[in-house]
Amino acid sequence: MTNRVTRPLVVFAAFISSLAIGLTLVLWLGGGLTGGGLGKSTPAKIGGPFQLTDQTGQTVTEKSLVGRPTLIFFGYTHCPDVCPTSLFEMSEVLRAMGKDADRVNAYFVSVDPERDTQAVMKEYLSSFDPHLKGLTGDAAAVAKILSGYRVFAKKIPQKDGDYSMDHTALIYLMDRDGHFVSPFNLNRSPEAAAADLKRYL
């Protein structure tokens, strides 16, 4: 009985934490959080060099973003709810784009390289749109892209010896030059989101 009560509370707490992290990041990116003591805000630079491997073994770097608009979501395959929901919604947007989905990059970047190997990512993403590519690498390579994209990720130990990951749960929209545009809004119909994304083709 205790486990039935505790697990929903843990999931809810993780969800609320992700929302708080996301809101903070949105404010920071938009200049809503200031620094320097003079009331001036400086938008944070998002992006930068990285080198990871997708689920097919292909190397993906920041240069892979150039020439197409890109959606990037950071998460992990053992995520109980937020990650699969976001990937499903991204899949629906890609489906709504029709043939134009071939002109978009869509990446799921693991924040849990310890468990998310290339093989695990390949199996996990088989349930989603085939345009989605899963990126992973060693701990140092993953830490580099997390830092470049200002992504918060923290291992949360559990009583059974396993662990979950608390992490930023935003979808990043990058333009054709690989520059950050804004968080991508999925709280609308797939068709509306697809129409918005097509503006950057």
Side-chain angles (χ1 to χ4, degrees):
M1 183 67 180
T2 300
N3 288 339
R4 291 183 180 179
V5 174
T6 302
R7 179 163 178 75
L9 289 176
V10 171
V11 171
F12 180 73
F15 178 69
I16 292 299
S17 178
S18 293
L19 285 179
I21 293 165
L23 178 58
T24 300
L25 185 59
V26 169
L27 288 173
W28 185 25
L29 299 179
L33 296 180
T34 61
L38 296 177
K40 296 181 180 180
S41 61
T42 303
K45 180 181 178 182
I46 301 297
F50 68 88
Q51 182 172 320
L52 297 171
T53 304
D54 73 14
Q55 73 268 34
T56 68
Q58 297 296 310
T59 298
V60 177
T61 73
E62 73 283 356
K63 295 179 182 177
S64 304
L65 278 57
V66 178
R68 300 180 178 187
T70 301
L71 297 179
I72 305 178
F73 176 70
F74 293 83
Y76 66 114
T77 63
H78 286 69
C79 181
D81 42 33
V82 175
C83 299
T85 297
S86 296
L87 292 174
F88 172 76
E89 292 173 341
M90 286 177 68
S91 294
E92 289 294 285
V93 173
L94 293 168
R95 177 194 58 75
M97 292 192 73
K99 292 183 178 180
D100 282 334
D102 295 336
R103 302 167 60 195
V104 173
N105 294 317
Y107 296 122
F108 170 52
V109 182
S110 175
V111 300
D112 184 17
E114 182 178 333
R115 294 183 294 194
D116 289 344
T117 63
Q118 177 188 323
V120 169
M121 294 288 272
K122 184 175 183 179
E123 174 64 24
Y124 185 74
L125 288 175
S126 66
S127 300
F128 302 100
D129 188 276
H131 292 93
L132 272 167
K133 293 182 179 181
L135 305 185
T136 190
D138 60 30
V142 169
K144 184 173 184 177
I145 191 171
L146 296 184
S147 175
Y149 281 78
R150 306 296 190 267
V151 174
F152 171 86
K154 181 180 180 181
K155 184 183 291 187
I156 307 297
Q158 297 177 334
K159 292 182 179 179
D160 59 4
D162 201 357
Y163 65 89
S164 63
M165 297 293 296
D166 195 3
H167 63 93
T168 303
L170 292 176
I171 296 174
Y172 294 71
L173 172 61
M174 315 296 286
D175 65 19
R176 291 168 52 88
D177 295 320
H179 299 146
F180 175 72
V181 177
S182 67
F184 191 70
N185 177 20
L186 288 178
N187 293 323
R188 48 187 166 169
S189 71
E191 292 73 21
D196 186 15
L197 187 54
K198 286 181 180 181
R199 296 191 299 115
Y200 296 93
L201 292 175

